[in-house]
Amino acid sequence: MNDDRHSIFRDAGRDRETAEQIPDTPQTRAPSYRLAFADESFMCRDELRPVRLQLELLKPQMILDERQIDSTVVLFGGARIPSPAEKHKARTQTLADLSHFYEEARLFARRMTEKSVASGNREFVVATGGGPGVMEAGNLGAEEAGGVSIGLNIVLPHEQAPNTYVTPDLCFNFHYFAIRKMHFLMRARAICVFPGGFGTLDELFEALTLIQTGRMNRVPFLLFGRAFWEKIIDWAALEDAGTISPEDLDLFRFVESAEDAAAIIEEWGPAPARDDIPGR
């Protein structure tokens, strides 16, 4: 990170270094003597949660701004979906059958990254959750196209390291799900959702709700695999019940391939946020 300061005062980094070199005495060993911003135990106290939320919002924001990344193409999807070469190791036959979406995610990310490279890696930058499965495929496709990609990881009790295809200095780690979700959507030029589980459904419905309620501009919202999505979600039942309006079903499109998705994004025109909610 750059620290282009315009100040006659000593900066925090220099003071932290100085504080680490002071004589070792009972007073300097006391927790109370530590600089507050350099005291990890203090920063992890419950009372500091608002500060930690702010830091998690600021750090990725500042880095992405410094890299001049203006827009992203977000890929959500299952961590358990294997590559076609690994489908024989899948836990279920359904996961094995879904492996072709790994390939579609890779091809789609590669195609979007070709556009991104043409913009100097400022527009259409692929962003994933940084994990395995569909996320890995997205970062892999971006690397194959010679561009950069973002990985937004989160600390989980069982989680592994980020997949190896995320651009290292665009790989972020989060404690708060809410802040991670904000970073997924703040620059989103398109949202592409591949088959997945609870996490994917959570991301799908949260993003769709923001668009439905007018809190976010409309962007291409693409669900890969109509058969999968219509099997697990009865969209027509929601409409028949009146819990959503018929117009809400126009907020997303089903696609089957990278080519289908890319064509919709290419043809997309300006679509401002809703100023009302149909059916209310």
Side-chain angles (χ1 to χ4, degrees), residues 57-75:
L57 180 63
L58 275 173
K59 182 180 178 180
Q61 179 77 16
M62 292 170 66
I63 292 174
L64 294 173
D65 284 346
E66 288 167 3
R67 291 292 295 266
Q68 297 183 306
I69 293 176
D70 296 325
S71 71
T72 59
V73 176
V74 178
L75 273 65

Side-chain angles (χ1 to χ4, degrees), residues 226-246:
R226 177 189 287 268
F228 175 85
W229 292 113
E230 289 189 338
K231 181 177 180 181
I232 65 167
I233 303 170
D234 194 336
W235 306 95
L238 293 172
E239 179 188 354
D240 290 343
T243 55
I244 65 171
S245 68

Side-chain angles (χ1 to χ4, degrees), residues 106-246:
R106 182 183 70 83
L107 294 172
F108 174 72
R110 188 168 71 183
R111 186 159 179 171
M112 289 296 101
T113 305
E114 289 168 356
K115 288 173 63 67
S116 179
V117 170
S119 75
N121 291 313
R122 296 183 64 170
E123 305 283 355
F124 298 99
V125 178
V126 167
T128 80
V134 166
M135 296 172 279
E136 175 187 278
N139 297 119
L140 170 59
E143 182 181 88
E144 290 175 341
V148 302
S149 68
I150 299 166
L152 303 178
N153 284 81
I154 192 158
V155 177
L156 299 174
H158 59 277
E159 194 59 47
Q160 69 295 310
N163 73 68
T164 58
Y165 305 111
V166 181
T167 300
D169 59 355
L170 294 176
C171 190
F172 304 97
N173 201 15
F174 291 86
H175 173 64
Y176 296 106
F177 268 101
I179 302 300
R180 177 176 180 254
K181 289 174 180 176
M182 285 186 66
H183 280 294
F184 269 126
L185 301 179
M186 286 168 66
R187 290 172 166 81
R189 186 86 165 256
I191 299 169
C192 303
V193 190
F194 292 79
F198 286 167
T200 303
L201 289 166
D202 175 50
E203 292 156 345
L204 183 161
F205 282 116
E206 183 139 20
L208 200 54
T209 299
L210 287 169
I211 294 174
Q212 180 204 36
T213 57
R215 295 301 303 270
M216 176 179 169
N217 286 350
R218 286 198 62 179
V219 297
F221 202 113
L222 310 176
L223 306 187
F224 277 75
R226 177 189 287 268
F228 175 85
W229 292 113
E230 289 189 338
K231 181 177 180 181
I232 65 167
I233 303 170
D234 194 336
W235 306 95
L238 293 172
E239 179 188 354
D240 290 343
T243 55
I244 65 171
S245 68

